[in-house]
Amino acid sequence: MKSAQDEQDARLRERSLLARAVPGDRLMLADATLLAALDGSRPLTPNERKALSVSPLTLRRFRQLSLERHAAAQAQPAANDPVWGGSSGMLRAAASAAVLESLATDDNCWTLHFLQVGEGWQVILSLSAEAPFAARLLRERVMVRVIDGGGAIVLQGRLDADGEYECSWPFATAPAHHFQMYGAGFAVEPVAP
């Protein structure tokens, strides 16, 4: 847990980074690149990270986009229309010992099922009917994606009427090994239209 002194130190570091002046500074990265980094769909390359660190103007824009994204996620939904901004989960140690059959998000709203088909795999994303936002997602037929711990897209598409989306496993390695290679984490996210 952060102490008040740690938080104050972090704020001071943030202010000093954002307030410094660099002659000829300009926006070095497009909003689309910054937003992709914020939502985890594409990590910044080493050159993009360097551009972000040397340009206070770009860093301020990145911070502004982050604050806007956070504010949108915190907006209060109507009581009868729960909003969903994403769910995450981890490959558990017990799941890594045998053939991986399924993974669930920490909120138990989503499950990834893995079916071995010949030499490859099929992956099925299932939305729990008990999820508080299930009715809205099914009604609006939102596009969702699953990303691994490294930010690579595992699947992306629109849920069917049963709250599922199925596709071929896109990687050469088996699901358990793949998730272990990328920090054992995954996330299910809405895809902005």
Side-chain angles (χ1 to χ4, degrees):
M1 189 164 200
K2 284 187 175 180
S3 71
Q5 183 62 43
D6 291 340
E7 288 182 27
Q8 186 178 12
D9 290 347
R11 277 192 220 107
L12 285 172
R13 279 192 304 275
E14 180 182 345
R15 275 191 226 131
S16 68
L17 278 172
L18 296 173
R20 64 192 167 103
V22 173
D25 192 14
R26 59 185 174 82
L27 282 177
M28 303 295 285
L29 300 171
D31 280 2
T33 301
L34 297 173
L35 288 168
L38 285 170
D39 71 17
S41 62
R42 187 180 77 74
L44 293 175
T45 66
N47 285 340
E48 289 168 338
R49 284 195 305 272
K50 183 178 179 186
L52 184 62
S53 70
V54 299
S55 170
L57 184 62
T58 306
L59 193 57
R60 283 192 295 273
R61 181 63 181 152
F62 187 64
R63 181 177 182 272
Q64 181 61 36
L65 292 171
S66 176
L67 291 172
E68 288 172 3
R69 187 171 188 267
H70 181 71
Q74 298 300 316
Q76 291 296 329
N80 62 349
D81 196 17
V83 173
W84 170 71
S87 301
S88 61
M90 295 282 294
L91 175 68
R92 307 292 179 220
S96 62
V99 173
L100 184 61
E101 294 179 0
S102 65
L103 283 176
T105 55
D106 295 338
D107 60 11
N108 288 316
C109 292
W110 300 92
T111 304
L112 285 173
H113 301 277
F114 305 98
L115 305 171
Q116 193 162 11
V117 180
E119 296 293 315
W121 294 83
Q122 284 291 104
V123 59
I124 303 166
L125 175 66
S126 298
L127 171 62
S128 168
E130 305 300 317
F133 45 79
R136 185 181 67 80
L137 295 186
L138 292 175
R139 180 178 65 247
E140 295 177 6
R141 295 196 31 92
V142 299
M143 180 161 306
V144 297
R145 74 171 150 235
V146 174
I147 58 171
D148 64 20
I153 296 175
V154 175
L155 63 80
Q156 180 170 307
R158 293 194 189 283
L159 299 173
D160 64 18
D162 296 326
E164 295 184 342
Y165 180 79
E166 179 177 353
C167 68
S168 297
W169 177 251
F171 307 105
T173 54
H177 183 66
H178 178 83
F179 284 111
Q180 287 170 351
M181 290 187 329
Y182 293 97
F186 72 100
V188 184
E189 308 173 328
V191 177

